[in-house]
Amino acid sequence: MSRSLNVRKSLLTLGVALPFLAGAALAQTPPAPATSPAAVPAVEPSKVIARVNGVEITEGDLALAAEDPALQMPNVPEAQKRDLLTGYMIDLKLGAKAAEAAKVGSGAEFARKLAYSRDKTLLDEYLDQEAKKAVTPEAARKLYDETVKSVPAEQEVRARHILVENEDEAKKIAVRVKGGEDFAKVAGEVSKDPGSKTDGGDLGFFTKDRMVEPFAEAAFKLEPGQISDPVKSQFGWHVIKVEEKRTKPAPTFEETKDQVETYLARKAQQDLIMGLRKSAKIERLDDKGNLVEQKQQ
């Protein structure tokens, strides 16, 4: 790891300060693909693609199989994946029919499994419907606007630095650059920070909390164009030049759209479940069948 990465206490993404990105119900969302995927032609769910002893297998059946987490094949070409899923559906129909003939589905344990699967599918569909109702363009824009307004303005600077091992070297370098030598050129010649020396010591824009304390304190006291005296940190001795100061810009709506929509969907689902619990009579029993003291659900 380069020293310039070590200097930063953390490399936070542009939007992490926004409350809706830090909610307990919100998980990290993968970034949007660089290019939009090719449009997939619409298929008719009732279209028959195979028959097994007269039992039809449709495009809708194939689509359900493709959504099964156990049947995900991310690195398999689409044509091959379709062929494998069709083969699976054929085997499923044959096996289910044979299991039925063997009266596998007649026991109490099977009935419990079937009831569980039905309940889970019903809940999944219900939650999906609630999420779709909650995630509208208007709701997403409103949440974004309200959140951006609530985030306090934060200062950030763009600075260059030259990192050396001891104070004497740092003092000599400070004299050179304060005397008029090009800071970027000197950084490229002598800085021990491989992560920034090729860019003339440029660290880009950063907020105060992203740097170790001695470095951050010195950098934020400087005005654009000013050069610091030598500053010591756990990484060595720094000479710092501030290039710019600004108020950190808020992330754009497009940059946070996926996170906003994920939050709206999960909040709607969470609110639904909590509302159902609140209006229900819930009783938990211990191993002796006695009521357990109820906590707030």
Side-chain angles (χ1 to χ4, degrees), residues 49 57-73 81-93:
I49 60 169
I57 297 173
T58 66
E59 287 284 3
D61 296 328
L62 204 64
L64 286 175
E67 294 174 1
D68 188 337
L71 300 177
Q72 297 306 297
M73 296 173 274
K81 185 186 299 184
R82 181 181 175 85
D83 183 60
L84 290 169
L85 288 173
T86 302
Y88 170 79
M89 288 302 303
I90 290 170
D91 293 341
L92 183 63
K93 293 295 184 183

Side-chain angles (χ1 to χ4, degrees), residues 51-295:
R51 293 186 181 87
V52 182
N53 293 329
V55 177
E56 295 179 343
I57 297 173
T58 66
E59 287 284 3
D61 296 328
L62 204 64
L64 286 175
E67 294 174 1
D68 188 337
L71 300 177
Q72 297 306 297
M73 296 173 274
N75 299 318
V76 178
E78 285 302 317
Q80 185 181 355
K81 185 186 299 184
R82 181 181 175 85
D83 183 60
L84 290 169
L85 288 173
T86 302
Y88 170 79
M89 288 302 303
I90 290 170
D91 293 341
L92 183 63
K93 293 295 184 183
L94 288 170
K97 193 68 175 177
E100 196 172 52
K103 300 191 182 304
V104 171
S106 61
E109 184 63 22
F110 180 83
R112 277 193 291 271
K113 289 181 179 180
L114 192 61
Y116 173 82
S117 295
R118 182 177 185 277
D119 287 348
K120 185 176 185 303
T121 301
L122 280 169
L123 177 59
D124 288 346
E125 288 294 314
Y126 192 24
L127 291 174
D128 189 51
Q129 288 180 17
E130 289 300 302
K132 287 177 179 176
K133 287 192 292 185
V135 181
T136 65
E138 296 78 16
R141 174 60 73 171
K142 181 181 178 182
L143 176 59
Y144 169 81
D145 290 341
E146 290 176 349
T147 306
V148 167
K149 288 178 183 177
S150 70
V151 175
E154 190 173 16
Q155 284 291 111
E156 61 180 3
V157 301
R158 176 178 166 231
R160 297 178 186 271
H161 83 138
I162 298 170
L163 177 67
V164 292
E165 294 179 353
N166 59 67
E167 186 177 10
D168 286 341
E169 285 182 87
K171 285 180 177 179
K172 291 174 183 178
I173 289 165
V175 170
R176 289 175 61 183
V177 293
K178 287 185 178 183
E181 285 195 52
D182 183 82
F183 194 100
K185 183 179 179 182
V186 176
E189 292 173 359
V190 303
S191 181
K192 303 301 182 182
D193 177 6
S196 70
K197 69 177 296 179
T198 55
D199 293 323
D202 194 353
L203 296 172
F205 279 100
F206 54 87
T207 52
K208 199 170 186 178
D209 63 331
R210 293 194 186 185
M211 296 294 180
V212 291
E213 190 171 343
F215 188 99
E217 287 293 332
F220 276 80
K221 286 179 182 177
L222 297 172
E223 294 300 323
Q226 289 185 329
I227 297 172
S228 74
D229 292 328
V231 177
K232 189 178 186 302
S233 78
Q234 63 262 48
F235 305 104
W237 287 84
H238 310 262
V239 177
I240 307 165
K241 180 183 179 181
V242 167
E243 299 283 2
E244 299 177 62
K245 277 189 173 182
R246 70 179 184 183
T247 300
K248 181 181 177 181
T252 66
F253 176 71
E254 288 304 318
E255 288 171 333
T256 59
K257 185 172 181 286
D258 288 345
Q259 292 96 322
V260 172
E261 291 180 348
T262 297
Y263 175 79
L264 286 171
R266 293 186 180 181
K267 185 176 186 305
Q269 293 170 340
Q270 185 180 56
D271 289 348
L272 172 64
I273 294 298
M274 297 308 293
L276 291 173
R277 284 191 177 198
K278 189 175 181 180
S279 61
K281 181 181 179 181
I282 299 173
E283 298 176 314
R284 296 193 184 194
L285 308 179
D286 62 20
D287 56 359
K288 295 180 180 179
N290 299 316
L291 280 174
V292 177
E293 182 180 353
Q294 299 298 294
K295 297 180 181 180

